[in-house]
Each structure stands twice: as structure tokens, then as C-alpha cells.
Amino acid sequence: MSATDVQTSPQDAIRKLRRLEAQNRRLRRARKALLGAQEASAAVASCLDPRQALQVIVDEAVKVVGGDTAAIFLLDTDQDRLEPQAVAGDVTPDILAAVPSLPVRSRGWKTLCENGGLVVGDAVRSPHLVLARPYMRERGIKSLIVVPLMARGKAIGMIGVSHRRRKRAFGRDDLRIIRLFADQAAVALDNSNLYAQATDLSARIKTRLELEKAIFDGMNDPMAILDREDRIAFGNRALFRALGRRPSRVIGRPWDQFVEPEDAEALRAQVQAASGGVVSGQIRIRRPDGSRIPFAVSAGESHDSSGAHLGAVAVITNLERGGVGERLQDSQRMVASMGRLTRAGSRLFDINRLADHAVRSATGLLGLDHGVLYLTEGDELILTAAQGVSAEFMAEGARIKVKGSASSRAMATRRPLVFADIRRVRRINRKLRDCLPPAMRGGAVIPIPGRESPLGVLAVGGSDPAALTHEAVSMLTVITGQFGAAVENARLYQAAHRRAERLAALNHAAERLISCSDPAEVVTIICEGLASVLDAKRALCLDHDAKKGLLIPIGGHNIPASRLRRLPSMRLQDAPVLALSVSERQPVLCPDVGEHKAMPERYCAVLGTHAAVAVPVISRTELCGILVADNDGAPMAMSQDEKDMAMALANQSAVTLDNIFLLQEERARSQQLSLAVQEAHHRIKNNLQAVCDLLELELIQSGGADPADGIEHSVQRVRAISLVHEFLTRNHDVATVNVSQVLERLVPLVVVSNQGRDQEVGLAVEASPLTLNSKQTTALALIVHELVSNAVRHGLDDGRAGAVRVSLSDRNGTIELRVTDDGTGLPANFDMRTHGHVGLEIARVLAERDLGGTIVLRRRGGRAGGTVARVRFPR
């Protein structure tokens, strides 16, 4: 091989050098990107606040790809908009508040998510960024990289890097780099959401454990609650004393770690054979000092409504102490009662049945004769369940005021009260004390705990006060704690179920309103929907007459027609509750309409309204009407959720009414246009026939006169007809014409066409703003043309100066036209039928045939003289 074979040309060397430099630049850029991604990853790992992590990410992203600005937007799924969260580059942090949210177009957003990002070389002309185009023009953005933030397979936002100085500033490598930062941002947001959920769950678990600890710590017998993996999740003080260990050495560890292995195996076999029931057995607990203490154990498993295993509850009794058998039976009964109450709470959402379960469990567990359970409702205690009490007691004690009762102290201190002789308790009402069973002496009042405040009390009693021992009261505390949790869950379920029913009723009403085209049917639908949403028995719809300022009853739900007819119209200021709802533009509840005089007395007398809700129906900016719902004297309450639903129904009805009225107007206008087209064809035919008649009449009566003069008159008459049609084409109402506008245009044209070259004619037109149909207007225009031209050519003959006055008025349905001049006047013994020329004959025929009126010409009285032509016809 010669030396020349391995030599390369200078051009090849230069190209190779350039390729190496380009590779070197890409490597440096990749290293820079990796370092930036590493910095962002460290920020994500160390920052609990996602905003700090997002800010670090955009700072590093704008540095790595060499852009001018970088921003992260998060998706608001409720409003379909992208809200800015972090910006970086040649902007200050305070600009974040000024950055607008961007609307999301489904097609462009879907394309962005499917492609995993876009590199836009010309941002202003890109079809994917139509909605953000004004924002980019304002900031002079030319190049752009947009990458979606994907978390758990869903798009939650996007990151964008822009360049202002040149187009096509970014490439595919830049897109890959920004995807790295997008992944880091998605991880940061996902971690923050998981941390928030974990924090909330931890707080709820802690609250529940604190409640259970307060309940179980008062028990003398050791008690343990196990989780799904048979680890000790909770224990009371007696359990830690029995094990001889600190709580930190017990909680979270398997229970069999503290029991002899053979005892643990035997107990497991019993639990498996019992298939979820309560089992009893003996175990030996191993203490740190090496001793083995025998215990009797009663254990039962807990399951949810689907049968899934939730854990177990165990109560332990020391066999070395006295009264083991009796205490073991108590433990077994307590575990069984807790299991029954837990199962009832997981499958029952009827509070009355749950209360009955709790009372029977409490009395049966302790062998007591009597028990009652009260739940709070406002400032009263409502009897919910009873066992072993008389009907007289249930009638007398159905509702008790909390203030001053024996239960108020137990609820205030949240501690049980035990009485050796309940008949000596001063806070018990005397009538209620007389209703107590004769054998009843000892009693206890246990508050029912709730999340925020006590839900009520459980009161039990019997003939033997000694039965209410400390252990018995502790058992009652456990039962009330379980019952309180079950009631809270039942109320949440009932609220959710009721909300679902309201939403279904709202949706059903909306579906019916969409296809509705009758205003009366709309009123029926919204009244029924409002009654369903607010749990009201009746609903009334009042229409608002803006011109008269009155509210008029037009329909209702569960209101007889006879009562509805007796309701008068009223002004808004006469009903303060209605006026308040209109001013605040939201539903308003009045607890007692009659007492607060919130509505006229007539309405209260007819409807019998005590509590009522007023909901305004507002279309755009105008008040359409008001809806009123009442419960026929029963108390009413209204949550914010109910307010929102009622307002949504009112808004939907307002939109529907708007659409119906617009549709009716369009139908009427369409029908009017159709009739007008037919009328136009008919009028054109008649007017063409009238033109022919005028020309024939002119030819017959012209004699030897100049034919050009007759043609000129006919042309002026045709112009008068065309002027009427000109106004018809301009008006929105194609069937009628404003006659005053026609006269103001027509009369000056007629005067100018008929006066002499140097003749001076004064002109006055006084016309009331009257509207007539096209036929009447055409006939009246021709009459005015003939009378005015007659006044100028014959009244002001020989070129003399004078004045012509035209007036039009409506007098009690009779329209009068007057044409007056101050000329030579009519000759003596003038008769229109014999002395009139062709123009006056045309005017007479039109007045009598087309207008159904009369025309009279007479001499004008006074010094001025002249002629008065008067035409009268019914409107």
C-alpha cells in the first residue's frame, strides 16, 4: 500500500472535523441536560411543596435548551383550562399572576398527548395553537416546544419552552430533553398528591385510634384490636400491663409473638373452625421476666358488608384472679355484641334500626331491664329507640330540651353519668320521672360520641344499681362509640344517597326542559323539579311583568287550581324574602314567613306558608320570575349543595324560556314573512292593475289635451306607489308602514313636480305616527298625491305664491286626512262627481272603494280663502 492510499483530501478532513465538532456539541449538550435533569430530580426528592420543585424544573429546562422562557401549566379538568404554575427565563416571578389561563381544545390537546410533545417552528401559524395564538402574539413568541405532563397514564398539564428571536430554534433533541423534565414534573405532582392523601388518611386513622383509646382505656380487662395481618393495631393500658411491655414494644407486632406457640396454634384452629364467630380459649402469655401467666381469651373477627376480613377483637381475662368465669362470660358477651353491632353498622343505613340494635345490645349485655336512646336535633333530644319502657313514657319523653336535662351534663363533659337512684336526680322532668317503671332504681347516661360533637345519649337502668359497675359502664362506652361511628356513616350514606336522588331529579328536569316548547309545561317541570331538589311539598311559580312591576302566579306543584286563582298579583317590594333573593341572585330561606311578614298576608292565608325558599329565575340580566317552595308548615333547612342545585334548575329554566320565546318570535316572523310575500304578490298585481286603470282613465278623460302631461301625472302616481313599497322593504314589520314617514317624503316631491319654475309654495306636513297596512297606505299615498297636485296646479294657478298644509290624525279610531291651500278656491256650486277632473275622480274611488271612507272638498272660510279637502276612513 502506497502512502498516497491513506492520505485524505483537505475537504474530507474539514468535513470530518465538522462532524466531530457537531458530535462534541451534542455530547456537551447531553451532559448539560443530564446535569439539569439530575438537579431537577434532587429537587423533586427533597421538596414537599410541588411549587418549589416545579420552579426548579422550569429553571433548569430553560437553561438546557437555550430558550427565552419556560412555563408549566396544570390542567383544571372542571373548567377545561390550563392554569400557570411556574415560569422561568427572562421574566420575573411576579408575572405569574398576570399569565392568563389557556383554554383546552379537545382535538389539539389529544394530538399533543398522543405525540408526546410538539416542536413548533412557527408558533403563530401553527394549527395546534389556535386558542393560544393571541397570547403568543402579545409576547412575540416565534418557536415553541410543548410536552404534556403524564401521571399514571393521564395528562395533568404541560411544560412549554419558547424562543422569541428566531423561528425553528428547537429540534428533536430538544424535545427529548424537555420530556425528561416533563417526567420529573409529573413525578413531583404525583408525589405531592400521594403525600397529601397519606397525610389525610393518617390524620383520620389517628383520630379514630384516639377515640378508641379513650373508650377502651377505661376497661380493667386487657383488650387488643388486630389488623388484617394479625398484628396488634391497638391495645388498652390493661393489655400493656398484662404483657409487661411498653406500647412501642407491642403495637405493630404479631400477637403470637407474646403467646406460647402451642397455645397460638390451638387458638388459630378454633378461629378457623368457628368461621367468623366468637371463640374462647386459654393462652399463656410470655412476659419479659420469663414468667408464663395463664389468660382466658375471647376473640371475634370483623368483616365488612362484602365479607372481606377487617381484623379481629380480643378480650383477655387473667385466670389467676377471682371471678374468672363471670368475667369470661362478660368478655364473650361483649365481643359478641361488638361483632353484631359492627356487622349491623356495615350493612344497615337506617338509623332507627341501628339505634334499636344498640339499645338491645346494651341491655342484653348487662342484663338490664330498661334502655332508651336519644339523638340530638337542634336544641332537642329525640327519642329514637326504647326497650322495656311504657307507652306513656315514650309519649311524654318523645322530645326533651337539651338545656336543663340530665343528659346535658354527660354531653358537655363527654363522660358517662351513673346514678344509684335515678328517681332522686333533679334534672329529670317530674312528669317523665312518674312514667318510669316502678322497679327501676339504678341508671346510667352514656354520651354518644361524634366527629365534632356528641350525637345524643344512651340511658339504661335496672332494679339493681350494683349492676352498673365500672366494667359495665366501659362496655356501654364501647357500644355507644361503635353506634356513633355507625350513625355518622349512615348519615353520610343517606346524604350521598339523597344527593344522588336530587342530581337525578335535576338531570331528569334538564332532559325534559331540553325538549320542551311550551312555557306552561316549563313551569310545571321546574316546580316539580324544585320540590324534589329541596324536599318541599309545594312549589309556586311567579311570573315577573317588567312593565307593570308585578309578580303574577302562573303555576305550581301540589297547589289546587282553586287556590292558585285566589292568589293576587303583588309587587316585589311587598315580599321582602322575594326581593332579597333577587338582590342577592341566589336562593333565600325564610324560617317563618308569617312571623317575619316576608310575603303578603293573602299568600300566607291561602298557602299556609310557615317556612319557604325563594329562588330567582334570571335570564341574562333580566328577572323572568321567582320560584317559591314550602313544606306545608314543617321546618326547612337548605345546604349550599341544595342552593346550587336549585339555582342550576332556575338557570336551566330561564335558558329554556328564552329559547322558547325566541323560537315563537322566529315562527311568528316566519309566518309573517310568508304572509307578507303572498300579500306582496297580491299588492303588486293590484298595483299593476291600478296603474293600467289610471292610464286608461287618463286616456279616456284627457280629450285633446297634451298626452305628455297625462303621462307625467301617471309617472308621479307610480312613484307614490313605489315609495310605499320602499318603506315596506325597510321595516322589520313587513306587513305595516308608518304613514307619517311616507307623507314626509311624498308631499315635497309632489309639490316640486307640480309648481311653476319661479313659483313659491309654502309647505307644512303635520302627521301623527300612525301605522297602516300596505293596501291602506298605497291608497292614501295616491289620494295625497292627487289632492296636493290639485292644490298646487289649480288652487295656486297662474304661478301665484301660496301655502299648502297636509295633516293626518287619528280621532277615536277614525283617521282624518286634510289638505288645505290658500288659493283661488272652488267655483260656486262645485260638485266633485260632475266638475272634478280625472285626478279627483281617482281620489274619490280610492277613498270609497279601498279605504271604505268619504272624501269632501269645500271652500275655505276666512280672508285667506282657498280649498279644504278632507278624507275620513276607519282604521
Side-chain angles (χ1 to χ4, degrees):
M1 182 181 293
S2 62
T4 57
D5 293 333
V6 296
Q7 291 180 352
T8 57
S9 64
Q11 292 81 2
D12 293 338
I14 291 172
R15 283 195 294 268
K16 185 176 181 180
L17 181 61
R18 288 177 178 172
R19 285 197 300 270
L20 291 175
E21 289 178 349
Q23 290 177 2
N24 193 24
R25 284 195 300 271
R26 285 196 296 269
L27 289 174
R28 286 199 302 268
R29 194 169 189 181
R31 181 175 178 273
K32 185 178 179 182
L34 291 174
L35 291 175
Q38 185 179 1
E39 186 75 19
S41 178
V44 170
S46 61
C47 294
L48 294 179
D49 185 2
R51 285 182 175 271
Q52 296 180 11
L54 295 181
Q55 189 61 49
V56 173
I57 290 170
V58 292
D59 289 338
E60 294 298 327
V62 76
K63 291 178 186 177
V64 170
V65 298
D68 294 322
T69 308
I72 289 180
F73 293 81
L74 296 186
L75 180 63
D76 185 350
T77 55
D78 294 334
Q79 300 182 0
D80 286 338
R81 301 185 72 85
L82 291 166
E83 302 291 343
Q85 297 296 320
V87 294
D90 57 354
V91 292
T92 56
D94 56 353
I95 201 174
L96 188 62
V99 175
S101 59
L102 300 178
V104 176
R105 191 175 64 176
S106 58
R107 183 178 300 174
W109 183 250
K110 184 179 179 181
T111 302
L112 177 66
C113 296
E114 289 177 351
N115 295 340
L118 296 173
V119 178
V120 182
D122 191 350
V124 177
R125 295 186 180 180
S126 173
H128 302 293
L129 305 173
V130 174
L131 297 177
R133 192 170 290 165
Y135 170 76
M136 291 185 295
R137 275 205 189 102
E138 182 182 351
R139 286 152 182 80
I141 296 175
K142 294 184 178 179
S143 300
L144 187 67
I145 297 178
V146 184
V147 177
L149 306 183
M150 305 297 292
R152 301 176 185 270
K154 294 183 180 179
I156 60 174
M158 73 174 189
I159 179 172
V161 182
S162 60
H163 205 292
R164 298 180 183 175
R165 294 185 293 276
R166 60 189 177 90
K167 300 177 182 178
R168 297 177 179 84
F170 304 114
R172 302 300 298 178
D173 291 338
D174 299 314
L175 178 61
R176 296 188 188 97
I177 293 171
I178 296 302
R179 282 176 180 164
L180 291 176
F181 290 101
D183 293 340
Q184 294 294 338
V187 170
L189 294 170
D190 199 26
N191 288 346
S192 67
N193 291 335
L194 292 175
Y195 177 76
Q197 294 175 7
T199 303
D200 180 61
L201 180 61
S202 176
R204 284 188 289 170
I205 292 175
K206 183 178 179 182
T207 302
R208 179 182 175 184
L209 289 178
E210 288 178 352
L211 175 63
E212 293 174 345
K213 188 175 186 303
I215 294 173
F216 297 138
D217 275 345
M219 299 179 60
N220 289 334
D221 285 330
M223 185 171 184
I225 297 178
L226 309 182
D227 60 14
R228 296 175 187 267
E229 284 75 28
D230 286 341
R231 293 185 301 234
I232 299 177
F234 174 78
N236 61 355
R237 295 175 185 173
L239 176 67
F240 303 135
R241 288 195 300 267
L243 298 178
R245 290 174 173 83
R246 296 178 181 178
S248 59
R249 301 278 186 176
V250 176
I251 301 299
R253 300 193 179 187
W255 66 273
D256 55 2
Q257 179 180 339
F258 309 101
V259 180
E260 290 292 329
E262 57 273 17
D263 296 341
E265 289 296 332
L267 188 58
R268 282 198 190 94
Q270 286 185 350
V271 171
Q272 188 174 3
S275 300
V278 179
V279 299
S280 299
Q282 292 188 12
I283 56 174
R284 289 168 295 171
I285 291 180
R286 296 185 297 179
R287 294 173 62 90
D289 57 4
S291 60
R292 304 291 187 267
I293 301 178
F295 279 84
V297 61
S298 297
E301 294 183 336
S302 297
H303 299 83
D304 61 10
S305 56
S306 63
H309 176 62
L310 297 177
V313 179
V315 179
I316 307 170
T317 305
N318 193 338
L319 295 177
E320 294 181 346
R321 298 180 181 177
V324 172
E326 183 179 352
R327 289 163 58 200
L328 184 58
Q329 292 178 0
D330 292 342
S331 299
Q332 291 176 345
R333 288 198 301 270
M334 187 180 71
V335 171
S337 297
M338 290 177 63
R340 286 194 298 270
L341 201 54
T342 300
R343 289 191 294 273
S346 64
R347 69 175 184 270
L348 291 180
F349 299 104
D350 185 346
I351 294 178
N352 291 327
R353 292 180 64 185
L354 285 172
D356 187 59
H357 252 289
V359 171
R360 284 191 284 107
S361 296
T363 54
L365 181 63
L366 302 178
L368 299 174
D369 303 322
H370 318 290
V372 290
L373 190 147
Y374 285 88
L375 293 178
T376 57
E377 185 178 297
D379 59 347
E380 291 183 325
L381 290 168
I382 308 300
L383 182 61
T384 309
Q387 179 82 15
V389 295
S390 62
E392 184 183 4
F393 178 91
M394 295 181 66
E396 187 66 35
R399 304 179 77 93
I400 301 174
K401 290 288 184 182
V402 175
K403 187 177 181 180
S405 66
S407 304
S408 61
R409 183 180 174 186
M411 294 173 62
T413 60
R414 302 195 181 193
R415 293 181 178 178
L417 296 179
V418 181
F419 308 106
D421 191 350
I422 199 168
R423 296 181 179 279
R424 295 185 180 182
V425 179
R426 296 179 180 179
R427 292 195 174 190
I428 295 181
N429 183 277
R430 182 176 56 83
K431 293 182 179 179
L432 195 60
R433 186 188 296 115
D434 293 341
C435 298
L436 292 174
M440 185 174 176
R441 286 292 181 268
V445 178
I446 318 296
I448 300 172
R451 286 188 177 91
E452 297 178 356
S453 60
L455 304 178
V457 293
L458 170 67
V460 296
S463 57
D464 184 12
L468 296 172
T469 61
H470 181 74
E471 289 80 3
V473 174
S474 298
M475 295 180 187
L476 293 176
T477 305
V478 172
I479 290 174
T480 54
Q482 283 189 303
F483 173 72
V487 169
E488 294 274 11
N489 293 337
R491 287 179 175 176
L492 289 175
Y493 172 81
Q494 291 174 356
H497 183 66
R498 182 61 192 132
R499 188 174 191 276
E501 290 180 345
R502 292 192 182 105
L503 287 173
L506 190 63
N507 185 51
H508 180 61
E511 290 178 352
R512 294 175 63 190
L513 287 173
I514 289 174
S515 59
C516 184
S517 59
D518 182 11
E521 186 180 354
V522 172
V523 171
T524 302
I525 292 172
I526 60 177
C527 288
E528 292 176 357
L530 186 69
S532 298
V533 167
L534 298 181
D535 284 338
K537 294 184 178 179
R538 290 185 302 215
L540 173 67
C541 182
L542 300 168
D543 183 37
H544 181 244
D545 189 340
K547 293 182 179 179
K548 298 180 181 179
L550 294 176
L551 293 171
I552 305 168
I554 57 173
H557 172 66
N558 279 346
I559 300 178
S562 58
R563 285 193 175 188
L564 195 63
R565 287 193 295 268
R566 287 160 53 192
L567 294 175
S569 302
M570 64 175 168
R571 297 176 300 173
L572 186 61
Q573 54 266 32
D574 294 338
V577 63
L578 306 185
L580 182 60
S581 69
V582 173
S583 63
E584 294 186 356
R585 290 178 173 266
Q586 65 176 355
V588 172
L589 170 65
C590 182
D592 195 327
V593 174
E595 181 180 352
H596 295 88
K597 298 181 179 180
M599 291 182 70
E601 294 182 2
R602 185 69 172 171
Y603 278 75
C604 296
V606 172
L607 297 176
T609 304
H610 294 276
V613 176
V615 183
V617 182
I618 300 174
S619 171
R620 297 182 180 92
T621 58
E622 296 182 357
L623 177 66
C624 294
I626 300 178
L627 302 173
V628 181
D630 74 276
N631 226 1
D632 199 15
M636 291 184 69
M638 184 170 56
S639 64
Q640 186 60 45
D641 194 31
E642 291 171 329
K643 284 185 179 181
D644 294 340
M645 290 186 184
M647 205 64 211
L649 179 64
N651 293 338
Q652 178 71 25
S653 62
V655 172
T656 304
L657 289 173
D658 274 350
N659 294 339
I660 290 174
F661 294 145
L662 288 174
L663 180 61
Q664 290 177 347
E665 290 177 4
E666 289 300 320
R667 285 178 177 173
R669 183 171 175 79
S670 176
Q671 185 177 9
Q672 189 182 35
L673 285 172
S674 178
L675 295 175
V677 170
Q678 298 177 11
E679 175 70 14
H681 288 300
H682 180 69
R683 292 306 305 162
I684 290 171
K685 178 181 74 69
N686 290 346
N687 289 337
L688 291 175
Q689 184 63 44
V691 170
C692 294
D693 293 342
L694 292 174
L695 292 174
E696 290 178 358
L697 189 60
E698 189 72 40
L699 289 174
I700 293 171
Q701 297 192 9
S702 61
D706 186 3
D709 192 29
I711 292 175
E712 183 181 354
H713 276 285
S714 297
V715 169
Q716 292 179 8
R717 295 182 184 112
V718 173
R719 284 177 178 170
I721 296 174
S722 67
L723 185 64
V724 175
H725 283 280
E726 179 184 349
F727 279 97
L728 280 171
T729 58
R730 289 182 181 178
N731 291 349
H732 294 291
D733 186 359
V734 296
T736 60
V737 183
N738 190 335
V739 184
S740 62
Q741 296 178 354
V742 176
L743 296 184
E744 290 173 358
R745 284 276 305 278
L746 177 63
V747 174
L749 293 176
V750 176
V751 172
V752 171
S753 300
N754 290 277
Q755 68 183 4
R757 178 176 296 178
D758 298 326
Q759 187 179 14
E760 295 182 359
V761 178
L763 179 62
V765 179
E766 299 176 359
S768 302
L770 300 175
T771 56
L772 298 176
N773 60 43
S774 60
K775 179 180 178 180
Q776 292 175 311
T777 306
T778 302
L780 189 63
L782 289 172
I783 292 171
V784 170
H785 173 271
E786 300 301 335
L787 294 179
V788 172
S789 62
N790 183 68
V792 174
R793 302 183 69 167
H794 301 288
L796 304 176
D797 54 353
D798 299 330
R800 62 178 289 182
V804 177
R805 183 172 178 269
V806 179
S807 65
L808 183 70
S809 61
D810 184 1
R811 298 182 179 178
N812 299 324
T814 300
I815 298 176
E816 181 177 287
L817 169 71
R818 283 176 177 266
V819 179
T820 308
D821 65 76
D822 55 359
T824 58
L826 296 171
N829 300 321
F830 174 81
D831 187 356
M832 188 173 177
R833 294 181 180 271
T834 58
H835 297 90
H837 53 78
V838 63
L840 292 179
E841 181 63 18
I842 291 172
R844 184 186 68 79
V845 172
L846 291 172
E848 293 177 357
R849 185 190 65 187
D850 290 0
L851 298 180
T854 59
I855 180 171
V856 177
L857 273 73
R858 61 178 177 83
R859 292 180 61 86
R860 185 182 178 193
R863 290 183 181 180
T867 304
V868 177
R870 185 183 67 190
V871 179
R872 287 184 177 178
F873 61 94
R875 187 168 185 176

